[in-house]
Amino acid sequence: MGSSWNHKELGVLLAILETDMVEKHDLTYLCNRLNQAFSRQEHFKVGTALVTLLQQSDLLPKPSQKLTAVAFLYDMYKSDHVSINPFAPVFIHLLNPPDSFDAGDARYRQLPVLKPAERQFLTQLVGGQGKEFMKKTPASICKSDPFTVPQVDLTGVQLALAERQSEVPHTARSAVSGIIQDPNKLQDLERNELASLQRRTIEELLLGPDPPANRTIKPEFMRLAPPLYIRENEMIWQDPVDYGYISYEYDTSMLDKDQIGSEAKKLTARACKNTLPLSEQQRLLMELERDPSVVSNIGLTPGKLPDLVEYNPMIAIEILLKLMQGSNQITDYFSVLVNMEMSLHSMEVVNRLTTAVELPTEFVHLYISNCISTCESMKDKYMQNRLVRLVCVFLQSLIRNKIINVGELFIEVQAFCIEFSRIREAAALFRLLRQLDSGELEPGKGSPPAVPTTK
């Protein structure tokens, strides 16, 4: 259906909003009645009409009627996130009255100011906690004590609503309703006469192919009309100047930046695919040493780091050291290094980094936990023994060089040693832990053990 109303449809909507209905029935019942009367395709039309009624204080005079209309606006789109609700700006204005919210949508500034109980109800709805409230009548909610309702954190929701609102063009947000309230309040009218007048006013606002409720007043986007011709059969914007006065300036530095580090970039790309010959490794290291800033332009993304570590660990170490001096993405590289498959080369890279610079403690601890977990989950006993030996020697090196505080990992490392106590290096690490725990040996004392070969 289109956006126009007929007398029968409008009568159904107003019957649901009657005072007797909203005072006797709970919101769940009222929402079900609305959904039975109008299909999902008609919800936007219904919502637009409800906003019009909310903006005119004398068309929905009872607080319970206003509360019901607000609940309908939410319930019709409850299956979507509230920020996608086309009437999200209404919730913004109701939750942030004009005196504390200046950057809103001008089309909704005639909306009523909610009382504390009503506002608390809307807060629960928008926060996704209003299920229990829907079992109550609108009249009882309006009369309830707002301090008995638990608070809901709407920070995330309001940020989403504000972001959604910022996408609306400024010209649309500056529009105002084309309906102006009569400042002269009607008095001394019988109840039936007042109800009849309200009904007639609503019909005049909403019925017809182009109802007044759909009209808004917004600023016109003014633009000067350009002159049509500068000379015969030629428009001025196609030929705005005389070419005789144009002088061309050439940027002689163009593409210079692309040349910087081109050799390093090619070698790095090759290093991520194969082990570089010694001569090429030295050339790449010389390029990095000559201009450390070139490291940001060699094309090494965090995702390519594991391949570089496996094929050329020494190159990976130098690049990471350079990145640590100026890249704001270094934590991404660390995260990839921590979570990559454990190997001799990855441990060599981490070990060299820990002795060269001070790495974040959580990074080192996470890598150790990953090493231990890899050893424990390894099915091949031969490979498991090799990895356990490597990890134990690696941990001894970290402990003796005071790279880690063993007290923070004592339980985890001790359990690892006990599990693999049959392996000589694990037994040696366990003895080292015991000596440190008893005070027989201070961290940093003694020579670090030699790293075993992987043969």
Side-chain angles (χ1 to χ4, degrees):
M1 288 188 61
S3 60
S4 60
W5 287 85
N6 58 46
H7 284 84
K8 182 179 178 181
E9 293 174 330
L10 189 57
V12 171
L13 177 63
L14 296 179
I16 300 174
L17 289 169
E18 282 286 345
T19 305
D20 292 342
M21 288 287 290
V22 300
E23 291 185 354
K24 292 180 180 178
H25 299 285
D26 59 45
L27 283 169
T28 300
Y29 173 83
L30 296 172
C31 290
N32 288 338
R33 284 284 304 271
L34 186 77
N35 290 323
Q36 290 169 5
F38 299 97
S39 65
R40 185 171 178 81
Q41 289 74 23
E42 297 174 298
H43 282 176
F44 185 77
K45 177 179 76 172
V46 174
T48 304
L50 291 171
V51 172
T52 299
L53 298 180
L54 282 169
Q55 289 178 311
Q56 316 307 319
S57 59
D58 50 354
L59 298 184
L60 290 179
K62 298 287 185 181
S64 53
Q65 291 176 302
K66 294 183 176 67
L67 193 71
T68 304
V70 172
F72 286 167
L73 293 177
Y74 174 83
D75 185 78
M76 287 188 295
Y77 297 91
K78 64 183 178 182
S79 59
D80 302 321
H81 190 273
V82 67
S83 64
I84 306 176
N85 191 315
F87 301 101
V90 175
F91 303 144
I92 292 177
H93 278 264
L94 292 175
L95 291 174
N96 302 274
D99 59 344
S100 62
F101 190 83
D102 300 325
D105 194 323
R107 294 172 295 173
Y108 303 110
R109 287 179 186 164
Q110 292 176 247
L111 288 169
V113 177
L114 298 183
K115 294 180 180 178
E118 300 159 1
R119 188 174 185 278
Q120 197 68 355
F121 164 71
L122 179 57
T123 301
Q124 296 287 321
L125 269 189
V126 173
Q129 307 294 324
K131 194 171 182 180
E132 292 300 319
F133 281 90
M134 299 299 286
K135 300 176 183 178
K136 300 179 181 180
T137 65
S140 65
I141 293 174
C142 292
K143 297 175 183 177
S144 63
D145 182 1
F147 297 104
T148 62
V149 180
Q151 296 293 322
V152 177
D153 183 10
L154 294 181
T155 304
V157 175
Q158 288 187 321
L159 283 175
L161 290 174
E163 183 179 356
R164 185 84 172 174
Q165 180 72 0
S166 66
E167 298 173 359
V168 179
H170 285 286
T171 52
R173 280 185 279 165
S174 301
V176 295
S177 173
I179 305 169
I180 301 175
Q181 290 187 351
D182 187 348
N184 299 318
K185 299 295 182 181
L186 297 176
Q187 298 177 350
D188 302 326
L189 284 179
E190 296 289 336
R191 180 177 178 181
N192 292 339
E193 291 178 324
L194 182 59
S196 176
L197 182 59
Q198 289 172 340
R199 178 65 175 262
R200 191 164 64 251
T201 303
I202 293 173
E203 290 176 350
E204 290 176 356
L205 288 176
L206 298 176
L207 295 180
D210 184 22
N214 290 353
R215 301 172 194 166
T216 58
I217 302 171
K218 55 186 176 182
E220 185 178 354
F221 184 63
M222 302 296 293
R223 292 181 297 174
L224 292 175
L228 289 179
Y229 299 100
I230 189 171
R231 49 186 176 266
E232 187 178 359
N233 298 328
E234 189 170 1
M235 294 185 177
I236 190 171
W237 50 83
Q238 289 183 331
D239 189 10
V241 293
D242 190 335
Y243 289 129
Y245 293 99
I246 292 179
S247 63
Y248 295 96
E249 298 288 340
Y250 293 95
D251 183 2
T252 56
S253 64
M254 189 179 294
L255 300 180
D256 280 356
K257 291 184 179 179
D258 292 342
Q259 298 300 322
I260 298 174
S262 58
E263 179 71 10
K265 190 172 184 178
K266 291 177 184 177
L267 291 172
T268 303
R270 204 175 302 160
C272 292
K273 298 177 181 178
N274 297 289
T275 302
L276 293 181
L278 183 58
S279 60
E280 291 187 346
Q281 289 187 41
Q282 291 175 344
R283 278 166 51 198
L284 179 52
L285 292 174
M286 286 176 59
E287 286 281 330
L288 295 174
E289 190 63 33
R290 185 169 59 86
D291 184 9
S293 64
V294 80
V295 75
S296 60
N297 197 39
I298 58 177
L300 180 67
T301 62
K304 296 179 181 178
L305 181 62
D307 291 332
L308 182 62
V309 168
E310 289 306 316
Y311 288 119
N312 297 277
M314 298 305 298
I315 300 295
I317 292 168
E318 290 302 318
I319 290 179
L320 287 172
L321 289 174
K322 296 290 189 297
L323 285 171
M324 289 180 67
Q325 297 172 11
S327 175
N328 54 8
Q329 277 190 303
I330 190 62
T331 53
D332 296 335
Y333 291 94
F334 284 164
S335 179
V336 170
L337 185 59
V338 165
N339 292 291
M340 69 176 285
E341 186 176 349
M342 194 197 83
S343 66
L344 174 63
H345 285 171
S346 71
M347 284 201 298
E348 182 181 2
V349 170
V350 173
N351 193 37
R352 286 287 300 275
L353 288 175
T354 56
T355 55
V357 294
E358 186 175 350
L359 293 180
T361 304
E362 62 272 16
F363 161 72
V364 180
H365 286 185
L366 187 57
Y367 184 74
I368 293 171
S369 297
N370 184 35
C371 290
I372 292 175
S373 176
T374 303
C375 291
E376 292 173 342
S377 60
M378 183 69 64
K379 301 298 182 184
D380 187 321
K381 289 297 181 184
Y382 173 71
M383 288 298 299
Q384 186 183 57
N385 290 345
R386 289 177 59 194
L387 291 178
V388 169
R389 292 174 63 212
L390 288 171
V391 172
C392 289
V393 175
F394 172 63
L395 287 174
Q396 287 186 61
S397 176
L398 294 179
I399 293 171
R400 293 180 184 276
N401 288 305
K402 298 185 178 180
I403 304 300
I404 61 171
N405 181 0
V406 72
E408 298 176 0
L409 295 167
F410 187 84
I411 296 177
E412 185 177 6
V413 175
Q414 179 178 252
F416 172 73
C417 293
I418 294 173
E419 181 178 357
F420 297 103
S421 57
R422 69 180 185 278
I423 299 173
R424 183 180 59 193
E425 286 78 9
L429 177 60
F430 184 77
R431 286 194 298 273
L432 176 62
L433 292 177
R434 284 300 182 190
Q435 289 174 342
L436 292 171
D437 188 43
S438 63
E440 296 178 23
L441 183 68
E442 295 181 10
K445 299 294 184 182
S447 302
V451 178
T453 63
T454 55
K455 296 181 181 178

